[in-house]
Amino acid sequence: DTAMYVSQAVTAGFRFIDTACQPRHYNEPGVGNGWTAAAQELGLQRQDLWLQTKYTPFGGQDPDNCPYNPNDPIKVQVQTSLETSLRNLHTEYLDSWVMHSPFRTMDETMEAWRTMEEAVDSGKVRQLGMSNCYSFDFFRELYENARHKPAVLQNRFYRDSNFDTELRSFCKQHGIQYQSFWTLGANRAALRHPAVKKAADSFGLTPETYMFAFLMSLGYVNPLSGTTSQLHMAQDVAIMERMQGG
């Protein structure tokens, strides 16, 4: 099903694809098969799409289905994960490579980050990012110590983290794209509020696309869509095109 949904998304107009080398929750080979099938049908080239995937530390992996040997040093784990992702996604390079979450310590996190930086140096990766990092101090320390600065912070967008107010301010100040996930699922109550419905109606939008439009209007926030509905895919692409058109 993953290949089919990805192919439908590309056909609908999506050009940014986010996944992870984490078989526990993601079907990375299916993503690779999906985008290549759609690209062939539409006459698209690799450079027409933006491929982003993640290196997931062992704590987030299924011990029985891990894409690397967890007994290897962190450096080797990261390198193996990258080669697996390139193979799965049928590409020679990644537009963006994200650490799925920090390690328990900054030393371990930086050991993995230094290996990821080497992939940028070699041309296999264009930029780096971090995900599931809700500590402002931790992210700031990573930024200050990184040779290749994080270009992306991808976090769950919800009330429990105060919507990452401090982190988003840091991202805006330093030119870092903030990618929000679980943007709709974590905010269902707000989307059902009559005031939101009224505001959305005034722009001819649904509450969901209104929220996406609001976040995109900030200029540094990219909400991620995980819909499998072709109707919602079309709506999401339409609001992206509308925002890009001013």
Side-chain angles (χ1 to χ4, degrees), residues 5-81:
Y5 290 135
V6 171
S7 181
Q8 289 174 350
V10 174
T11 300
F14 281 90
R15 295 295 180 266
F16 176 104
I17 299 173
D18 173 72
T19 184
C21 192
Q22 184 194 34
R24 183 182 210 164
H25 297 302
Y26 291 81
N27 181 358
E28 198 177 48
V31 172
N33 292 337
W35 86 258
T36 51
Q40 183 174 8
E41 182 176 341
L42 298 172
L44 299 175
Q45 303 300 313
R46 167 64 183 88
Q47 59 267 27
D48 295 322
L49 290 99
W50 178 276
L51 298 183
Q52 174 176 282
T53 192
K54 306 177 192 75
Y55 157 69
T56 306
F58 184 64
Q61 299 282 5
D62 177 354
D64 297 322
N65 189 19
C66 185
Y68 52 78
N69 185 343
N71 296 315
D72 282 341
I74 289 176
K75 182 181 181 72
V76 178
Q77 293 178 24
V78 175
Q79 291 171 333
T80 303
S81 181

Side-chain angles (χ1 to χ4, degrees), residues 115-136:
T115 307
M116 295 173 74
E117 288 178 324
E118 292 174 2
V120 177
D121 295 336
S122 70
K124 292 183 178 180
V125 173
R126 301 287 172 83
Q127 69 173 37
L128 301 178
M130 176 60 76
S131 183
N132 291 296
C133 182
Y134 300 94
S135 166
F136 174 78

Side-chain angles (χ1 to χ4, degrees), residues 200-244:
D201 287 344
S202 71
F203 289 99
L205 300 172
T206 66
E208 291 79 10
T209 53
Y210 177 75
M211 186 168 190
F212 279 172
F214 167 72
L215 291 173
M216 285 186 282
S217 73
L218 298 177
Y220 65 96
V221 178
N222 290 322
L224 302 183
S225 172
T227 185
T228 58
S229 162
Q230 288 184 277
L231 171 61
H232 293 162
M233 289 179 191
Q235 290 174 338
D236 292 347
V237 169
I239 193 59
M240 283 189 288
E241 292 176 341
R242 184 170 169 181
M243 293 300 294
Q244 290 169 355

Side-chain angles (χ1 to χ4, degrees), residues 150-166:
V152 166
L153 174 62
Q154 183 185 120
N155 273 356
R156 182 177 296 183
F157 190 72
Y158 68 146
R159 181 181 294 177
D160 289 5
S161 64
N162 195 30
F163 300 101
D164 281 344
T165 303
E166 192 173 20

